[in-house]
Amino acid sequence: LDIIKKEDIDHEVKSTMIEYVDDEIRRLNRLIQDFLDFSRPRKPVFEKVELNSLMKDLLQRLRLEWEEKGVVIDMDISKEKCLSQADPDMLSQALLNVIKNACEACDTEGHVSVKTSISHYNWITQIADTGKGMDQETQKKALEPFYTTKAQGTGLGLAYAARVIEIHGGEISFSENHPRGTIFEIRLECRKE
């Protein structure tokens, strides 16, 4: 802002500085929203949600964003209907956080694979990436609030996802994806229709 205020500044420099300011404001807004969402989570509003449709819609939006960055998102979504009592907004954000984390872990030309299935009244989602994987320290702390390995990260995305999955009576876990990457698994109770 100090540079922009100068009267003798070149128009091109001024435009570049305005873009920087705009980017920083967006980043700070995301950061504040992450902190607010995590520190004061709203009370969930449960309703009947078809989980496979929810996931399919989410992935279609994510594909548009990430495929232009060189990350391919493959999806294998079960055709069976799977109904669950869930807060669709909270659950969408939690799933988005896990998938976005997988995309960010990939280099360009990376792959993220999302598969859903139904087994014993459980909706099982596996999110596998071809990123660098997690060292032992990261594995121990990955779901803890404020732990991050990213320069621009808040360490709240996976912690928020874990909290929301728990609120929904589900489980989240992860393991190594051989030869490279990580697989997150989310389980939620559901019933077939």
Side-chain angles (χ1 to χ4, degrees):
L1 286 172
D2 287 339
I3 294 170
I4 294 169
K5 287 178 189 175
K6 292 180 182 174
E7 289 178 24
D8 60 342
I9 189 168
D10 180 290
H11 178 70
E12 194 174 315
V13 172
K14 196 174 212 171
S15 293
T16 302
M17 294 309 295
I18 289 171
E19 282 180 45
Y20 288 156
V21 169
D22 195 39
D23 286 346
E24 279 302 300
I25 289 170
R26 266 195 234 106
R27 189 182 70 76
L28 288 169
N29 277 336
R30 279 194 310 268
L31 186 71
I32 290 165
Q33 193 59 54
D34 284 350
F35 282 120
L36 289 174
D37 289 345
F38 191 80
S39 64
R40 288 183 307 169
R42 67 173 178 75
K43 190 173 176 169
V45 179
F46 292 103
E47 60 186 72
K48 194 185 290 187
V49 176
E50 204 289 293
L51 297 175
N52 286 318
S53 292
L54 180 107
M55 179 61 90
K56 201 178 287 186
D57 292 345
L58 191 64
L59 288 171
Q60 286 170 343
R61 284 184 283 147
L62 281 166
R63 274 181 160 174
L64 294 173
E65 178 185 352
W66 285 95
E67 290 191 355
E68 78 175 33
K69 295 177 184 177
V71 177
V72 176
I73 301 175
D74 296 317
M75 61 179 176
D76 180 7
I77 307 301
S78 173
K79 292 187 184 359
E80 286 185 81
K81 286 195 174 192
C82 182
L83 296 172
S84 182
Q85 285 297 315
D87 181 310
D89 295 332
M90 287 178 84
L91 189 56
S92 290
Q93 186 61 52
L95 294 169
L96 175 83
N97 288 358
V98 177
I99 298 165
K100 186 177 168 208
N101 195 73
C103 291
E104 289 172 350
C106 293
D107 297 323
T108 53
E109 298 182 24
H111 277 78
V112 172
S113 168
V114 180
K115 179 181 180 181
T116 69
S117 60
I118 302 168
S119 176
H120 301 93
Y121 301 102
N122 279 295
W123 182 69
I124 302 164
T125 299
Q126 290 188 325
I127 300 158
D129 66 64
T130 58
K132 64 181 192 297
M134 293 191 244
D135 60 28
Q136 288 186 335
E137 176 77 7
T138 303
Q139 287 177 22
K140 287 179 197 167
K141 296 182 176 183
L143 301 177
E144 289 180 13
F146 307 110
Y147 179 79
T148 185
T149 58
K150 300 174 204 154
Q152 298 287 322
T154 61
L156 292 173
L158 291 178
Y160 176 83
R163 180 186 279 176
V164 169
I165 299 301
E166 185 181 319
I167 287 169
H168 283 75
E171 297 173 5
I172 183 169
S173 60
F174 56 88
S175 59
E176 287 183 44
N177 184 18
H178 297 288
R180 194 183 139 114
T182 305
I183 301 172
F184 274 84
E185 185 172 284
I186 296 168
R187 289 175 173 263
L188 292 170
E189 233 179 83
C190 75
R191 65 183 206 291
K192 297 179 190 180
E193 188 177 82

